[in-house]
Amino acid sequence: MTQQTFIGVDVAKSWLDIHHPRRKPERIENTPKGARAFARQAAQEGAWIIFEASGGYDRVLREALEAAGVRFSRVNPRQARDFARAMGVLGKTDQVDARMLAELGTRLQPPPTEPLPASRRALQAYTARRRQLVGLRKQEDTRLKQTADPDVRADIRSLIAVLERRIEKIEKEMLQIVQADTELAEVNDILQSAPGVGPIVAATLIAELPELGRVDRRAIAALAGLAPVARDSGKRSGPRAIEGGRPVVRTILYLAGLHASRASSTFNVFRRRLEGAGKRPKAAIIATARKLLVTLNAMIASGRRYVPQGSS
């Protein structure tokens, strides 16, 4: 039986550092031409590529691998760094990172990352752009509160108005992408039937959490960064806390959980019960967000809209 070859790729803005277990380290340009050539070679060899999610710089590599039909795993940077430390590697260079990614693939064999359809990829780009614009608007709102000069305040207000128009336009584009795709429109309809989930929450989940409905409740909570992590040692039982996962998904679900606990008796009772048992309000909302996510996951898996508890 032929052993699977795992190739580690460290992604930078301008280049890709490649570690093949049986070849010398290689550096190529992070361009469509360079990525396509690498992907063709990997396809011929039947290799499995391991690389980190890198804030958009990995887009060219991912698209080339998808087009060539190459299996790959896009891993969380924290997971990759923790693995390197566990292997006793404290130094950090591009070549070292690529070597550790190849080693991670060989030892842990992470699940393959599914190729994103064009509609989900476009939706992902728009959700990212919306977050950027919302962030800029928040910055300008803060500056408006800190400024007394009337002329400067007028200038800030005019920029906020521009940003709000751009955000509105982006949101319309997001909804059009969802409605134009039969599969996404069906998922969107199911998601929005749940309390706390509106058009933007649904679109964000569709774009950023394609695993929704395809993995079990524990896995989906971990992907979203809503799974409690134990901190026990000996007789000491430390408080559970969430960490890791996808910050974008965690943030949007926190807000959705908050709204669900206000709009739905089911989630409201759940949150109040936790707070009554001594949970801090924020921890109770996080738990409510996790409950909402698990509910959404089951809904998508079954293809059924939300039914409140106690309904026939």
Side-chain angles (χ1 to χ4, degrees):
M1 183 176 180
T2 304
Q3 184 177 5
Q4 175 68 58
T5 298
F6 289 92
I7 299 176
V9 179
D10 183 74
V11 179
K13 180 179 180 180
S14 302
W15 58 74
L16 305 172
D17 277 281
I18 300 168
H19 180 87
H20 192 293
R22 296 185 298 275
R23 297 177 192 155
K24 292 181 179 181
E26 181 183 7
R27 172 174 285 185
I28 64 175
E29 292 184 350
N30 188 6
T31 61
K33 180 180 179 181
R36 285 195 298 266
F38 168 68
R40 285 194 299 268
Q41 184 179 11
Q44 293 173 359
E45 190 176 351
W48 191 314
I49 313 303
I50 310 291
F51 61 94
E52 296 178 9
S54 55
Y57 293 141
D58 59 309
R59 178 185 58 82
V60 171
L61 173 63
R62 178 172 183 166
E63 290 179 357
L65 295 174
E66 289 179 354
V70 178
R71 286 182 296 177
F72 64 89
S73 296
R74 185 174 182 259
V75 301
N76 186 295
R78 177 178 293 182
Q79 178 190 10
R81 192 60 196 150
D82 288 347
F83 174 82
R85 290 195 182 99
M87 295 292 293
V89 177
L90 302 180
K92 182 172 172 58
T93 68
D94 296 339
Q95 289 188 1
V96 168
D97 288 349
R99 177 167 61 86
M100 283 296 98
L101 287 168
E103 190 69 22
L104 183 152
T106 301
R107 291 176 180 267
L108 302 185
Q109 299 186 7
T113 300
E114 294 187 13
L116 280 179
S119 55
R120 282 188 187 262
R121 188 181 296 118
L123 185 61
Q124 200 172 70
Y126 274 107
T127 56
R129 182 54 182 160
R130 179 185 178 276
R131 288 195 302 275
Q132 294 167 356
L133 294 174
V134 169
L136 291 173
R137 183 180 63 184
K138 185 176 180 180
Q139 292 175 7
E140 291 302 306
D141 283 336
T142 300
R143 295 183 181 108
L144 183 63
K145 295 174 183 177
Q146 297 172 341
T147 303
D149 185 275
D151 292 333
V152 174
R153 289 177 63 84
D155 183 73
I156 293 173
R157 286 196 186 96
S158 67
L159 180 53
I160 290 175
V162 170
L163 291 172
E164 287 178 344
R165 289 195 296 271
R166 298 303 301 174
I167 292 170
E168 183 180 357
K169 182 176 185 296
I170 289 289
E171 290 178 348
K172 288 180 179 178
E173 294 285 353
M174 290 167 60
L175 300 182
Q176 287 176 5
I177 292 172
V178 170
Q179 294 302 325
D181 186 288
T182 303
E183 179 187 355
L184 300 191
E186 182 179 352
V187 173
N188 177 67
D189 180 66
I190 294 172
L191 290 175
Q192 288 201 52
S193 69
V197 180
I200 301 305
V201 173
T204 302
L205 292 177
I206 291 171
E208 303 291 346
L209 199 61
E211 299 90 348
L212 197 63
R214 301 180 184 181
V215 297
D216 63 31
R217 61 200 304 268
R218 291 182 178 82
I220 202 67
L223 287 170
L226 290 173
V229 178
R231 289 183 171 83
D232 299 339
S233 179
K235 295 181 179 181
R236 177 183 175 276
S237 180
R240 270 55 174 167
I242 59 172
E243 65 177 36
R246 299 172 189 172
V248 172
V249 176
R250 183 170 61 248
T251 300
I252 202 77
L253 282 170
Y254 180 89
L255 296 174
L258 174 62
H259 289 304
S261 70
R262 294 171 175 171
S264 163
S265 60
T266 299
F267 290 97
N268 181 270
V269 169
F270 178 78
R271 176 186 169 185
R272 298 306 171 193
R273 178 166 57 81
L274 293 177
E275 291 180 346
K279 285 275 190 183
R280 292 175 299 171
K282 184 175 181 180
I285 296 171
I286 290 171
T288 304
R290 183 166 61 251
K291 179 179 174 64
L292 176 61
L293 173 61
V294 170
T295 301
L296 297 175
N297 192 56
M299 289 163 52
I300 299 301
S302 64
R304 297 178 181 178
R305 292 166 58 86
Y306 178 76
V307 177
Q309 293 181 8
S311 302
S312 57

